């Protein structure tokens, strides 16, 4: 049975976490960054732990990032993708959960197309559950790595102005970022066409910009969301061409702001749609730092949920094992 | 010949006659024989002391889903009628979205026969508006009415075509039956699983805007005005719908409406933590909607309470919110939820509640019952309004357990239910 950590059993989202818990993860991620810089990228902190990466939706970046985090902590991992598994044969989520439970696995990393799926699983199995993205709800580890990247770049999060640009309506990254940033004292805004903003979003305490120029004028950090190409087919926007012209983050628009704005993107990017290549590859882009930090943040989450103590994270790297 | 029944000394409430007094009720030959003080006991009569009890015309529910034929594991006509009797209902109206759809006289006759066989609460069939509920061709209203249908509806789905709705209202007028509509613009509601608002935004669930209902309410009101037909609006959920109905009634349009106990008492916050037992269609709305619905029920803009009893197998609700079916059971909690939330809290008087759960629904669908007048059918319910109990889904007579009120402490319980002069439920 897994030990309780100060994070609780599961990481399903940032909405119900305290600022202290979020800071704990970010602080714990710091010593783990160095592991990935070593020639031998492995520490024994999760030796003997079994982890299933249960991906009901296609994912490259997040799945690989989790897998590296697990392997660098010496956990034994199994990947289950929706295609080719019993999942595609009509097995229900609850049956999948019970089968995993029966195999006595320690942790499940789940990505699922339905909002609430991670919480659903977490409420039904004793293993730790980590949400790797559930429907349009939350993607907590993405927001945590975004927070870590902002903190690295600016030295703080408190008081910064961060704007999420694009398809907020369908974005789990946006929701997790809104919670995480607000809890750590940032000012948060969203910007996009009204068809892609959820109704009631202002009541979450965020500013709303319908013009990207205004958002750029205001923000210290722009986190540019991926525009799913199917949004056009479903009629939320008339064309990608117009989207780029109205909402695209371009060097010309950024120059008008006349100051340095940090550019983030959770990936994968549609170059020339939501973000211009010159911005993505430009000097203020921290997009690849986000990816690097993703491994460290996920190592921290896995380590803490497995019962590891934050103050021992550094020692854990040197072979002391987790605190159990 | 059934034995006479004498209910002695209960608080007798008959809203149709503005009666609310301690009296006796005598039932003979399946009819109300007399209501008065100190009634004599006929030979061989069953006598029940009703002191401290409330004696009312039997409750009537215009909107239930029994799953027979098609999904008898979830509910049958008999199990639904049993649940109804336990909840104080003497008559319930079964929606036609069975499998196959109840869209012809044989299917309607089947429901009537199953109801007779069960011999519990009366089950009145509602026929489909369109064949197969496909929204294309009218079903045979005339034959269905002669087989026992009391209304027509494509409930579960809206009647999307305005032309079909128009002809349905006109044709139904021929047989003096209402067309009950599930008001939902499917293009606006498409893919939605809960109310569109702040909670949906936070949970990342696709919302169903209030306008999806209100657009159809407005359309139906206009078509009722055009045709002179009687439109009955099912399970109203928004303050905007209330405003449209209020105006329509002021203009004398032939419209009636119902509201469910859950829409009168719960909001979209019940969906927090992805509780699939709070997933229903129309969805639970906001506090301002609940307030407007209560006000509308009080002043008669909304005519009655209906449960929209919608049984589902336990494992169907054991799913991610997106994947779970819409609907909750309600027959065994409807009275107690309404009594606790509306009467105990002082918003409604008990006679007002009985009016909205018996007198009015019987009037709206032109059913017998809903009255204790001498000579009328002896459909009578008795409640212990002081009884405190807590909702235990495992104890339901319904075959399904999908209630949003599990564990809820309620006050008021049906202790005796009489249908056509026979006791069908007694605690």
């Amino acid at each position: 049975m897994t030990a309780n950590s100060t994070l609780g059993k599961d990481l399903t989202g940032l909405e119900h976490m305290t600022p202290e818990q979020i800071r704990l993860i970010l602080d714990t991620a710091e010593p783990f960054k160095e592991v990935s810089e070593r020639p031998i990228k492995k520490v024994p902190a999760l030796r003997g732990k079994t982890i299933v990466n249960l991906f009901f939706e296609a994912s490259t970046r997040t799945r690989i990032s989790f897998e590296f985090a697990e392997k660098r902590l010496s956990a034994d991992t199994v990947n289950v993708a929706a295609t080719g598994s019993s999942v595609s044969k009509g097995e229900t989520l609850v049956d999948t959960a019970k089968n995993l439970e029966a195999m006595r696995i320690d942790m499940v990393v789940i990505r699922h197309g339905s909002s609430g799926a991670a919480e659903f699983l977490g409420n039904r199995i004793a293993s730790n559950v980590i949400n790797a993205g559930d429907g349009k709800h939350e993607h907590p580890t993405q927001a945590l790595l975004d927070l870590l990247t902002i903190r690295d770049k600016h030295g703080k999060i408190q008081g910064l102005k961060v704007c999420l640009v694009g398809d907020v309506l369908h974005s789990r990254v946006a929701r997790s970022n809104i919670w995480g940033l607000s809890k750590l004292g940032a000012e948060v805004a969203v910007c996009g066409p009204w068809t892609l903003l959820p109704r009631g979003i202002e009541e979450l305490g965020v500013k709303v910009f319908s013009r990207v120029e205004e958002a750029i004028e205001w923000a210290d950090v722009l986190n540019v969301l991926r525009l799913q190409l199917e949004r056009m087919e479903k009629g939320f926007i008339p064309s990608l061409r117009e989207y780029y012209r109205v909402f695209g983050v371009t060097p010309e628009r950024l120059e008008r702001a006349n100051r340095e704005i940090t550019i983030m993107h959770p990936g994968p990017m549609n170059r020339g749609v939501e973000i211009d290549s010159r911005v993505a590859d430009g000097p203020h882009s921290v997009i690849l730092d986000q990816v690097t930090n993703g491994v460290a943040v996920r190592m921290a989450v896995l380590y803490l949920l497995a019962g590891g103590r934050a103050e021992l994270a550094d020692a854990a790297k040197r072979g002391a094992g987790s605190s159990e | 010949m059934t034995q006479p029944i004498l209910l002695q000394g209960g608080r007798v409430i008959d809203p149709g006659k503005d009666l609310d007094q301690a009296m006796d009720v005598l039932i003979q030959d399946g009819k109300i024989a007399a209501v008065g003080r100190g009634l004599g006991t006929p030979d061989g009569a069953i006598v029940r002391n009703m002191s401290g009890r409330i004696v009312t015309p039997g409750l009537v529910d215009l909107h239930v889903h029994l799953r027979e034929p098609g999904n008898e594991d979830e509910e049958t006509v008999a199990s639904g009628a049993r649940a109804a009797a336990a909840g104080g209902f003497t008559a319930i109206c079964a929606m036609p979205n069975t499998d196959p759809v109840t869209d012809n006289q044989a299917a309607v006759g089947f429901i009537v026969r199953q109801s007779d066989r069960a011999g519990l609460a009366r089950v009145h069939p509602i026929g489909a508006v369109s064949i197969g509920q496909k929204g294309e061709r009218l079903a045979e209203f005339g034959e269905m009415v002669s087989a026992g249908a009391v209304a027509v509806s494509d409930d579960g789905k809206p009647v999307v075509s305005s032309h079909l709705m128009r002809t349905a209202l006109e044709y139904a007028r021929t047989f003096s039956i209402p067309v009950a509509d599930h008001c939902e613009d499917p293009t606006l509601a498409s893919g939605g699983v809960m109310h569109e608002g702040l909670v949906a935004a936070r949970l990342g669930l696709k919302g169903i805007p209030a306008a999806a209902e209100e657009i159809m309410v407005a359309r139906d009101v206009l078509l009722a005005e055009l045709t002179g037909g009687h439109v009955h609006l099912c399970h109203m959920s928004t303050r905007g719908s209330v405003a449209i109905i209020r105006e329509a009634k002021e203009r004398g349009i032939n419209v009636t409406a119902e509201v469910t106990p859950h829409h009168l008492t719960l909001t979209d916050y019940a969906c927090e933590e992805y509780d699939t037992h709070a997933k229903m269609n129309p969805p639970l709305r906001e506090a301002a909607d609940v307030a407007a619905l209560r006000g509308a029920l009080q002043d008669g803009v909304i005519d009655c309470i209906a449960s929209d009893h919608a049984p589902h197998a336990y494992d169907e609700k054991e799913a991610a919110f997106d994947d779970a079916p819409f609907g909750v059971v309600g027959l065994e909690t409807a009275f107690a939820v309404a009594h606790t939330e509306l009467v105990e809290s002082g918003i409604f008087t008990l006679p007002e509640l009985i009016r909205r759960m018996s007198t009015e629904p019987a009037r709206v669908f032109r059913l017998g019952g809903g009255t204790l007048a001498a000579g009328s059918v002896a459909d009578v319910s008795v409640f212990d309004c002081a009884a405190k109990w807590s909702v235990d889904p495992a104890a339901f007579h319904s075959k399904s357990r999908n209630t949003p009120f599990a564990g809820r402490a309620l006050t008021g319980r049906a202790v005796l239910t009489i249908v056509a002069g026979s006791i069908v439920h007694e605690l």
Side-chain angles (χ1 to χ4, degrees), chain A residues 20-304:
Chain A
E20 292 68 32
Q21 288 175 317
I22 294 171
R23 276 189 213 104
L24 175 74
I25 296 171
L26 301 184
D27 294 345
T28 308
E30 287 296 342
F32 282 125
K33 282 181 183 174
E34 181 266 336
V35 174
S36 298
E37 306 301 331
R38 297 180 185 182
I40 296 173
K41 301 174 175 57
K42 210 170 185 76
V43 296
L46 293 189
R47 195 162 52 201
K49 297 279 183 192
T50 48
I51 303 179
V52 174
N53 298 313
L54 186 58
F55 278 67
F56 291 85
E57 278 187 344
S59 160
T60 307
R61 186 177 322 242
T62 303
R63 188 179 55 74
I64 292 174
S65 179
F66 265 108
E67 207 176 334
F68 275 135
E70 292 155 3
K71 288 187 157 52
R72 286 173 192 179
L73 291 171
S74 304
D76 296 317
T77 68
V78 175
N79 294 323
V80 181
T83 48
S85 72
S86 54
V87 170
S88 57
K89 294 173 196 149
E91 185 175 87
T92 64
L93 188 52
V94 69
D95 284 336
T96 305
K98 285 174 180 165
N99 279 283
L100 291 174
E101 180 88 303
M103 285 185 255
R104 306 288 183 266
I105 42 105
D106 296 296
M107 294 185 162
V108 181
V109 176
I110 179 176
R111 163 161 300 186
H112 196 282
S114 295
S115 299
E119 200 170 319
F120 179 92
L121 192 68
N123 290 340
R124 280 161 185 79
I125 63 176
S127 320
N128 304 110
V129 172
I130 299 168
N131 184 3
D134 63 327
K136 296 170 291 188
H137 177 225
E138 286 221 38
H139 191 350
T141 57
Q142 176 68 44
L144 289 164
L145 72 89
D146 290 343
L147 291 169
L148 186 62
T149 307
I150 292 171
R151 198 171 76 169
D152 285 352
K153 169 87 177 176
H154 291 267
K156 60 168 188 176
I157 290 168
Q158 174 88 36
L160 282 180
K161 293 174 174 170
V162 182
C163 185
L164 299 149
V165 183
D167 183 4
V168 178
L169 180 64
H170 300 96
S171 175
R172 50 198 175 209
V173 175
R175 282 173 184 72
S176 288
N177 260 282
I178 289 170
W179 299 122
L181 288 163
S182 321
K183 283 172 198 281
L184 297 193
E187 284 185 66
V188 188
V190 296
C191 171
W194 281 103
T195 48
L196 293 176
L197 298 177
R199 279 191 55 208
I201 184 83
E202 304 92 330
E203 294 171 64
L204 296 181
V206 303
K207 282 175 108 65
V208 178
F209 295 111
S210 48
R211 306 288 308 188
V212 73
E213 292 83 358
E214 294 168 20
I216 289 170
E217 190 60 42
W218 175 85
D220 300 312
V221 178
L222 289 184
N223 196 341
V224 186
L225 303 169
R226 171 176 167 78
L227 185 79
Q228 305 276 354
L229 302 183
E230 72 198 53
R231 300 304 167 220
M232 187 180 66
E233 290 145 33
K234 295 231 171 113
F236 289 96
I237 53 165
S239 69
L240 297 179
R241 197 184 65 87
E242 172 156 300
Y243 186 85
Y244 174 72
R245 291 183 62 127
V246 180
F247 290 98
V249 177
T250 61
E252 293 74 21
R253 288 195 163 116
L254 290 174
E255 271 158 27
R256 237 173 288 148
N258 215 7
R259 69 207 151 80
E260 186 177 318
I261 298 177
T262 303
I263 301 297
M264 304 174 74
H265 192 296
M269 287 186 280
N270 298 304
R271 289 168 179 262
V273 181
E274 71 267 8
I275 190 165
D276 189 288
S277 286
R278 292 165 293 165
V279 173
D281 303 329
H284 305 309
S285 164
V286 293
I287 294 171
L288 292 174
D289 300 303
Q290 292 174 266
V291 178
T292 306
N293 279 338
V295 178
V297 154
R298 288 174 178 123
M299 287 171 83
V301 167
L302 292 161
Y303 173 75
L304 290 170

